[in-house]
Amino acid sequence: MGAFLRNEERTLFYINGWFAVFFLLIAIALMASLFGTIPAMAAGVVLAFTVSGFRIIQPNMGLVATCFGKYAGSLTAAGFYWTIPFIYQMQKVSLRTKNYTTPTIKVNDASGTPIEIAAAIVYHISNPAASVLDVEQADLFLHTQSESALRTLSTQYPYSSAENESLANHSEHIVENFRNMVQERVDVAGITIDEARFTHLAYAPEIAQAMLRKQQAEAVIDARATLVHGAISLVQGTVKTLEQHEIVKMSDSEKAKLVTNMMTVLLSEESASPVVNVGSD
């Protein structure tokens, strides 16, 4: 969208306001000395004409000027200025950093799962001319475009994935991709995106319970796999140590029985109650 930017910012012609005041006082003094009895009327006309050109720009504010229907220039630095009076139509623009939080929207992720997502956008206007002349309302334009970018992004990634990037991971790559998507959409409005972050991310209410059970089941499976792998390593090490140190000699059937008993103890969900054989009658 940046290709459609029609008004590149340029500086409006101006004179330092304090210099203008100085020259105004000199002009009034000269008129008073030259015209004698009619200085008051002449000075009043000059004063009215000149004073209308003074402009004060507060910090983080800007002025966009048009002249007979054409863009004339902008003033974005705080200060006291004098511009040519009467011919410019001025509009103030705030250059302060702003924050916008999108409403929570329901979309389908890359796998088709319905989710809810919202984001916070930190931005400021960097081209006052574009924000005034190229879009109707810059802030409202950003609101609409950021929600559009959020919907598009949500369809490109899954909510959760163990192997690939997912929205739930909030990876820097995904967040940066989202920021770039919003920036591309609002370039035409002269807006710069400073930061973009997700503020809300959840499964849609109608599937939340089912997805929670799925996550719990996956967690149990992962935990079981870890336990089995650890138990196998422990049993293998135990049998190997017993044989290396010749603590006991076991046949294959005895090894199988030992392995079975150890696996039962290690993988049991309940506390084991070992029975020690101390002899036989």
Side-chain angles (χ1 to χ4, degrees):
M1 297 182 71
F4 296 98
L5 186 61
R6 298 187 298 274
N7 289 285
E8 293 294 340
E9 186 181 8
R10 61 178 180 269
T11 302
L12 179 69
F13 170 77
Y14 69 91
I15 297 174
N16 183 284
W18 298 113
F19 283 116
V21 170
F22 176 73
F23 291 138
L24 175 62
L25 295 176
I26 293 177
I28 294 175
L30 289 175
M31 292 179 65
S33 64
L34 292 176
F35 293 98
T37 59
I38 58 170
M41 181 180 296
V45 173
V46 173
L47 183 63
F49 178 81
T50 306
V51 168
S52 63
F54 287 109
R55 307 287 177 180
I56 297 177
I57 300 180
Q58 302 296 336
N60 291 317
M61 294 294 293
L63 283 178
V64 176
T66 57
C67 180
F68 301 108
K70 293 185 178 181
Y71 172 55
S74 304
L75 293 175
T76 57
F80 182 39
Y81 301 91
W82 184 85
T83 61
I84 301 174
F86 297 121
I87 68 171
Y88 294 130
Q89 182 177 359
M90 301 282 193
Q91 183 168 340
K92 292 183 178 181
V93 180
S94 173
L95 307 181
R96 298 183 179 95
T97 298
K98 303 176 184 179
N99 182 75
Y100 171 66
T101 301
T102 69
T104 300
I105 59 177
K106 182 186 292 186
V107 294
N108 292 335
D109 68 1
S111 61
T113 304
I115 63 173
E116 292 181 342
I117 190 170
I121 313 293
V122 180
Y123 69 99
H124 69 277
I125 291 177
S126 55
N127 185 339
S131 69
V132 171
L133 304 175
D134 291 346
V135 294
E136 186 67 27
Q137 296 181 30
D139 291 331
L140 183 60
F141 185 81
L142 175 127
H143 296 175
T144 302
Q145 296 303 320
S146 59
E147 293 171 25
S148 172
L150 188 59
R151 289 182 181 276
T152 302
L153 181 85
S154 301
T155 63
Q156 297 178 354
Y157 298 95
Y159 175 90
S160 179
S161 175
E163 299 178 355
N164 302 317
E165 285 186 315
S166 65
L167 297 171
N169 293 335
H170 289 198
S171 70
E172 288 299 324
H173 176 262
I174 292 179
V175 173
E176 183 64 18
N177 188 20
F178 175 51
R179 194 196 73 80
N180 291 338
M181 290 175 66
V182 179
Q183 183 65 72
E184 181 181 358
R185 285 167 164 78
V186 299
D187 272 342
V188 68
I191 295 174
T192 296
I193 304 301
D194 300 314
E195 185 180 5
R197 295 287 177 183
F198 299 138
T199 58
H200 175 80
L201 182 63
Y203 287 113
E206 61 268 22
I207 67 162
Q209 290 298 324
M211 298 308 296
L212 178 60
R213 289 194 295 270
K214 178 184 176 182
Q215 290 178 345
Q216 291 173 339
E218 291 175 347
V220 170
I221 292 173
D222 292 340
R224 286 288 185 182
T226 301
L227 287 173
V228 170
H229 183 270
I232 292 173
S233 299
L234 185 58
V235 170
Q236 185 180 23
T238 301
V239 174
K240 185 176 181 180
T241 300
L242 290 173
E243 290 182 339
Q244 286 181 345
H245 294 279
E246 297 182 352
I247 296 174
V248 63
K249 294 182 178 180
M250 295 182 293
S251 62
D252 290 342
S253 60
E254 291 174 331
K255 292 179 182 179
K257 186 176 181 180
L258 175 63
V259 170
T260 300
N261 291 335
M262 290 188 67
M263 293 292 288
T264 300
V265 171
L266 293 172
L267 299 179
S268 176
E269 294 185 358
E270 299 179 358
S271 301
S273 300
V275 177
V276 180
N277 187 1
V278 297
S280 59
D281 295 336

